[in-house]
Amino acid sequence: MKCRVCRQPAVIDLRRHNANFCAEHFVEHCREQVRRTIDHFKMVAPGDRVLVAVSGGKDSLALWDLLVELGYDADGLYLGLGIGDYSDESGRYAREFASQRGLHLVEVDLRDDIGFDVPTAAAVTKRVPCSACGLSKRHLFDRAAIDGGYDAVATGHNLDDEAAVLFGNTLRWNIEYLGRQLPVLPARAGLPRKVKPLVRLAEREMAAYCVVRGIDYQVEECPMAAGNRHLGYKEALNAIEASSPGAKSAFYFEFLDKASHLFANRAQTERDGLQACQSCGTPTPGEVCAFCRLVERTAGATPVELTVKAPPL
Ligand code: Q46
Ligand code: ZN
Ligand code: ZN
């Protein structure tokens, strides 16, 4: 197996590109994919300040590394979710990455700064943890970006993530979500621009990128992810990809090219119906946004001890 560029021994084969790469040219390939994505979708303009949502996992650390290497002005934001040892360790990886490279990491802690954590919110709302967790992430990333004067929030969603979400939304024809499933969402009143520069890179490639670049990351999956439907969708898509390389990428990018505009009106109508939250000013369909309601509901709740253990690797 030889590198497509230099013919030296390759370290990775990318079947959907019908190419193998050595370490050096694989890194170059990843940078080129991100650069093309940013340019094509006009994600970041010269001089923009970007806030990278950093979880301590491979995707977000690779994204931060790639943006910095490409010359973007990118700080990190770590949100402490209070998910037991998993969160403690994730925070350590994020801090270590930032300090080794002299990068600026903003930190927000759900329990210390807001008053609840993910396990407690899940118990109070009696819903899956990912629901309160996702809501908190979206809200606090937006808020930190606006407060810090950043132009865009960048998240480490990769091709596998986006294809799995699209698969789930298509299975159920969740039209409102399909209208919003874009790699870039423009800024609007009270919300920063949101960008996903890794959509051309697969999960396996991000893991390989971290290994090649010597990035230490949280390998364990979140112990609260059990029951997350996207894991099943990823497996299904991986099975299809194995027999038909490139299917995942075609599914996602052909949707963006040929179908996403069909759902844009629905998303626009939804946006037009939003008003400022009476408590925090975030655009919301009701009087008070879902995050402020969550803060209210969890106020004074006894913190829940995390009993779920990570599954064996
Ligand atoms: S951290 Fe949060 Fe994820 Fe854990 S509780 Fe779910 S959403 S799985 S990316
Ligand atoms: Zn090479
Ligand atoms: Zn609010």
Side-chain angles (χ1 to χ4, degrees):
M1 197 165 94
K2 289 189 176 149
C3 171
R4 172 156 91 179
V5 184
C6 68
R7 312 307 297 164
Q8 294 299 306
V11 296
I12 189 163
D13 64 313
L14 304 183
R15 286 180 67 201
R16 77 174 183 289
H17 292 292
N18 204 11
N20 309 318
F21 290 106
C22 69
E24 183 193 336
H25 290 118
F26 174 61
V27 169
E28 215 165 78
H29 165 83
C30 293
R31 281 188 195 141
E32 178 57 18
Q33 296 296 310
V34 170
R35 197 193 54 71
R36 272 178 58 191
T37 308
I38 291 177
D39 288 354
H40 181 80
F41 294 104
K42 299 185 175 58
M43 290 181 168
V44 186
D48 274 358
R49 292 181 64 226
V50 182
L51 187 61
V52 184
V54 175
S55 68
K58 62 184 184 323
D59 302 302
S60 56
L61 291 180
L63 170 61
W64 198 3
D65 187 65
L66 281 157
L67 290 178
V68 170
E69 290 294 314
L70 285 167
Y72 291 103
D73 179 359
D75 290 344
L77 168 66
Y78 175 75
L79 176 60
L81 302 169
I83 306 178
D85 296 347
Y86 169 77
S87 287
D88 296 343
E89 265 178 40
S90 305
R92 271 201 297 279
Y93 284 110
R95 274 173 226 121
E96 220 172 270
F97 178 90
S99 73
Q100 280 171 356
R101 291 160 178 78
L103 298 173
H104 179 55
L105 182 70
V106 181
E107 289 201 48
V108 176
D109 189 82
L110 262 189
R111 164 70 49 203
D112 294 347
D113 300 324
I114 313 292
F116 67 88
D117 50 40
V118 167
T120 308
V124 170
T125 56
K126 298 189 175 62
R127 296 188 62 188
V128 289
C130 296
S131 156
C133 184
L135 169 64
S136 305
K137 284 184 196 169
R138 284 191 297 277
H139 185 92
L140 294 169
F141 291 158
D142 288 348
R143 190 195 282 179
I146 297 290
D147 290 352
Y150 293 92
D151 300 284
V153 171
T155 53
H157 295 96
N158 58 39
L159 175 60
D160 296 65
D161 296 323
E162 291 305 290
V165 171
L166 177 61
F167 194 52
N169 285 334
T170 310
L171 273 180
R172 290 182 176 71
W173 292 109
N174 287 330
I175 294 189
E176 320 79 64
Y177 290 108
L178 287 171
R180 271 189 261 139
Q181 207 192 335
L182 299 168
V184 56
L185 292 175
R188 54 199 162 102
L191 296 176
R193 190 186 327 138
K194 316 268 183 65
V195 301
K196 298 174 182 173
L198 297 187
V199 291
R200 260 182 229 282
L201 292 163
E203 200 155 301
R204 167 175 170 265
E205 289 148 35
M206 296 335 296
Y209 180 87
C210 286
V211 171
V212 169
R213 292 279 298 157
I215 299 172
D216 280 333
Y217 62 91
Q218 168 69 288
V219 177
E220 253 175 60
E221 293 293 333
C222 169
M224 308 204 90
N228 184 325
R229 280 200 293 249
H230 289 134
L231 298 178
Y233 298 150
K234 277 187 181 176
E235 273 173 31
L237 287 168
N238 283 342
I240 297 170
E241 181 78 15
S243 59
S244 176
K248 214 184 279 179
S249 158
F251 176 54
Y252 177 63
F253 284 102
E254 298 294 307
F255 162 76
L256 292 182
D257 262 10
K258 296 175 184 160
S260 66
H261 67 278
L262 302 173
F263 306 102
N265 278 349
R266 185 66 173 254
Q268 184 61 45
T269 315
E270 216 190 48
R271 277 199 291 275
D272 291 344
L274 300 181
Q275 50 186 342
C277 165
Q278 287 180 354
S279 174
C280 73
T282 296
T284 170
E287 290 182 351
V288 176
C289 78
F291 183 75
C292 288
R293 278 183 281 141
L294 180 63
V295 173
E296 239 172 66
R297 285 183 72 184
T298 50
T302 315
V304 168
E305 282 297 318
L306 188 65
T307 49
V308 191
K309 288 269 175 271
L313 290 173

